[in-house]
Amino acid sequence: MSLPFTIFFFLFVSSSHSALLTPITKDHSTRQYTVTFYLKTPPQPTNLLLHLGSSFTWLDCTQKYTSSTYHSLPCNSSLCESLDPHACSNCFNPPAPGCANNSCALFPENPVTQQSILAESLVDSLALPTTDGRNPGQLSHVPEFVFSCSNTSLLQGLAKGVTGLAGLGRSNLSLPAQVSTDFSLPCVFALCLSGSASSPGVGFFNTNGPYYFSPEIDLSKSLIYTPLIVNPAGSTIITYLHPSDEYFIGVTSVKVNGKAVQLNATLLTVDQNGIGGTKISTVTPYTVLETSMYKAFTEAFVSESAGLNLTVTDAVKPFTVCYSAADVLSTRVGPAVPTVDLVMQSDDVFWRIFGWNSMIRIARSDADVWCLGFVDGGANPRTSIVIGGHQLEDNLLQFDLGLNRLGFTSSILPHNTACANFNFTTINFLK
Ligand SMILES: *[C@@H]1O[C@H](CO)[C@@H](O)[C@H](O)[C@H]1NC(C)=O
Ligand SMILES: *[C@@H]1O[C@H](CO)[C@@H](O)[C@H](O)[C@H]1NC(C)=O
Ligand SMILES: *[C@@H]1O[C@H](CO)[C@@H](O)[C@H](O)[C@H]1NC(C)=O
Ligand SMILES: *[C@@H]1O[C@H](CO)[C@@H](O)[C@H](O)[C@H]1NC(C)=O
Ligand SMILES: *[C@@H]1O[C@H](CO)[C@@H](O)[C@H](O)[C@H]1NC(C)=O
Ligand SMILES: *[C@@H]1O[C@H](CO)[C@@H](O)[C@H](O)[C@H]1NC(C)=O
Ligand SMILES: *[C@@H]1O[C@H](CO)[C@@H](O)[C@H](O)[C@H]1NC(C)=O
């Protein structure tokens, strides 16, 4: 073995801030994205719903929890006391994971059903593959990973095989924060969601790059940045007194084919009660717009599409603007339709949405159409624009909590790659 290789290996395993990754799989029946971690000792693969808006991870501990390393988090520990909100819990059943005395309890929530319960927390070993940005490597362990030990009742509405939720929200207890083992390195993670049924996308933790996708494209070089905005009020009864754990960005206008859509500017900003603004959500399948915005946006889209000789046809719910698939040309970035730009802090900082991300193909016996994949969120939604999963696929997003900014690439298809192009062949860095 050559000397440089040995030195590399030594630095790599001793590094306190190695980069980690997880595959991200889309469940097509629920349109949910799931990540796979290794939990417990010995490590067992565990599928969890990916959620950007939850401050901690929770897991159903009632289904045969076997591990040699778990312990409860005492209520009088300084960590528990720093968690807000929390409760102190006793349990009068036989001791088990999620059943201890003087235990720190949290309020896990299911974002699909909005159901929430009180559940004891638990500490156990978590492992994720390390990465050099190109391939996965050996597992790296976080021995004292804190999560909430929920039960089966909270799994309703979640994809088959999913036993909990991975919380990637803005908090010291989130998954990205807990795997940022070097606390001097600010918490940075990145997501690249794939819509492919056969090839997963990927999430990177504890690294600001490189992020390589075949053929040798480092997407960390293609990021454009916009500030992350803190919403002063959480969205649930339990969290409304605290800043929200969700990620908001400052969309200042929406353009269709480069022309600004007339929108009520008040709705684009977050007020002191947490109403309004734009957030990113991996548990919302299609981007949701407040009614007046939805109306103005779809009218602008229809009018610009007319210039491409596209005439609307019968709509397929929940969408309202659809075109016969036979009339729509296809391009490298999906169906040829007007571009949609989410403009941020200045005119030259915009997130461009091409047909691949704006349109949904619906092919069935009575219709073969491309529909505009945005939905009407009603007249008084808490958040005016919720950017959903379909619009996030084949885009790379980097959340940097140290610099408090979002890096985004817009569609990566023009770079001749896709989120499904990460190379999951495991290599052994220790060789
Ligand atoms: C928590 O309480 C237990 C039992 O009362 C005590 O032994 C322990 O020292 C306390 N820990 C802290 C950090 O206060
Ligand atoms: C908690 O304490 C009570 C009262 O001392 C005891 O009956 C119970 O078994 C304990 N529960 C557990 C899970 O140890
Ligand atoms: C789950 O926990 C909730 C809240 O603690 C409780 O009401 C419910 O009975 C539990 N369900 C099951 C299946 O254990
Ligand atoms: C995280 O912890 C640091 C240091 O204890 C604290 O200053 C900060 O407010 C915490 N952040 C959150 C979101 O709880
Ligand atoms: C804009 O939205 C705000 C908040 O919903 C509302 O109070 C105001 O009347 C709206 N302005 C216009 C011109 O519709
Ligand atoms: C639209 O159709 C008209 C009439 O068939 C044709 O002259 C025009 O070139 C078409 N425009 C585009 C953008 O395809
Ligand atoms: C994937 O990575 C492995 C290990 O580095 C390499 O041998 C293989 O050629 C790569 N596959 C592709 C398609 O790039």
Side-chain angles (χ1 to χ4, degrees):
M1 184 184 281
S2 69
L3 187 58
F5 214 137
T6 313
I7 289 168
F8 170 75
F9 138 70
F10 177 73
L11 288 176
F12 196 85
V13 290
S14 66
S15 163
S16 59
H17 45 84
S18 36
L20 306 173
L21 66 71
T22 172
I24 303 176
T25 308
K26 184 172 188 179
D27 175 75
H28 279 262
S29 64
T30 56
R31 299 182 189 86
Q32 292 166 6
Y33 302 90
T34 61
V35 299
T36 305
F37 302 167
Y38 296 85
L39 262 179
K40 309 172 188 171
T41 305
Q44 292 157 40
T46 307
N47 298 327
L48 303 173
L49 174 71
L50 171 68
H51 187 27
L52 283 170
S54 175
S55 57
F56 57 87
T57 295
W58 59 259
L59 182 74
D60 173 14
C61 296
T62 61
Q63 298 177 41
K64 143 170 143 19
Y65 195 107
T66 48
S67 173
S68 60
T69 43
Y70 74 84
H71 62 85
S72 68
L73 180 64
C75 206
N76 60 349
S77 61
S78 55
L79 175 58
C80 184
E81 281 166 1
S82 77
L83 302 176
D84 195 4
H86 76 268
C88 291
S89 170
N90 289 326
C91 182
F92 297 94
N93 292 326
C99 180
N101 281 333
N102 177 35
S103 179
C104 188
L106 300 168
F107 299 90
E109 191 187 76
N110 174 325
V112 178
T113 59
Q114 250 100 59
Q115 193 199 346
S116 177
I117 64 172
L118 174 72
E120 289 190 6
S121 55
L122 198 70
V123 184
D124 205 344
S125 175
L126 165 79
L128 287 173
T130 51
T131 183
D132 57 355
R134 282 190 166 82
N135 292 92
Q138 74 276 10
L139 292 181
S140 167
H141 294 263
V142 178
E144 298 275 295
F145 182 70
V146 180
F147 56 96
S148 163
C149 234
S150 176
N151 70 26
T152 313
S153 71
L154 212 55
L155 295 178
Q156 264 179 46
L158 303 190
K160 201 159 165 279
V162 167
T163 53
L165 171 150
L168 272 61
R170 183 192 285 279
S171 117
N172 289 342
L173 213 53
S174 75
L175 172 81
Q178 289 197 61
V179 303
S180 293
T181 42
D182 178 350
F183 290 103
S184 64
L185 183 82
C187 174
V188 185
F189 67 96
L191 302 178
C192 202
L193 304 183
S194 168
S196 161
S198 51
S199 306
V202 60
F204 299 96
F205 300 104
N206 215 18
T207 170
N208 51 17
Y211 312 124
Y212 276 102
F213 290 77
S214 150
E216 279 288 297
I217 314 283
D218 175 11
L219 292 175
S220 68
K221 303 239 163 65
S222 305
L223 294 169
I224 300 167
Y225 300 97
T226 192
L228 283 169
I229 290 172
V230 177
N231 178 328
S235 59
T236 65
I237 290 174
I238 296 157
T239 59
Y240 79 103
L241 289 174
H242 309 280
S244 167
D245 303 322
E246 301 171 296
Y247 298 102
F248 281 72
I249 52 173
V251 172
T252 56
S253 84
V254 175
K255 290 182 177 173
V256 174
N257 256 358
K259 294 175 196 153
V261 179
Q262 287 303 316
L263 301 176
N264 180 340
T266 309
L267 296 173
L268 287 172
T269 56
V270 182
D271 73 14
Q272 74 271 24
N273 298 317
I275 314 286
T278 302
K279 73 175 180 185
I280 300 172
S281 170
T282 49
V283 297
T284 303
Y286 310 107
T287 295
V288 181
L289 302 174
E290 178 275 337
T291 291
S292 72
M293 291 183 163
Y294 183 78
K295 196 159 173 291
F297 170 66
T298 50
E299 282 170 9
F301 196 88
V302 168
S303 144
E304 288 300 317
S305 299
L308 297 169
N309 280 350
L310 293 177
T311 313
V312 292
T313 182
D314 292 343
V316 177
K317 279 184 183 164
F319 310 114
T320 60
V321 175
C322 300
Y323 302 99
S324 169
D327 294 347
V328 184
L329 300 175
S330 72
T331 72
R332 191 161 59 145
V333 288
V337 294
T339 55
V340 176
D341 293 340
L342 304 178
V343 184
M344 312 290 176
Q345 67 271 30
S346 67
D347 263 357
D348 56 351
V349 180
F350 55 86
W351 178 337
R352 176 153 289 181
I353 301 172
F354 296 104
W356 181 254
N357 290 107
S358 62
M359 307 301 285
I360 315 278
R361 181 74 175 263
I362 299 169
R364 53 187 205 200
S365 58
D366 59 333
D368 186 4
V369 291
W370 280 106
C371 295
L372 181 60
F374 290 69
V375 296
D376 185 343
N380 288 301
R382 182 169 176 83
T383 301
S384 305
I385 303 180
V386 181
I387 303 176
H390 184 72
Q391 279 70 36
L392 302 175
E393 289 174 3
D394 292 316
N395 284 245
L396 185 126
L397 299 182
Q398 182 194 67
F399 297 83
D400 186 329
L401 301 189
L403 297 174
N404 212 23
R405 68 181 187 182
L406 174 76
F408 60 94
T409 53
S410 291
S411 175
I412 63 174
L413 303 179
H415 297 275
N416 284 317
T417 190
C419 291
N421 282 15
F422 186 77
N423 185 341
F424 277 103
T425 307
T426 301
I427 57 169
N428 187 355
F429 299 121
L430 297 174
K431 213 162 34 196

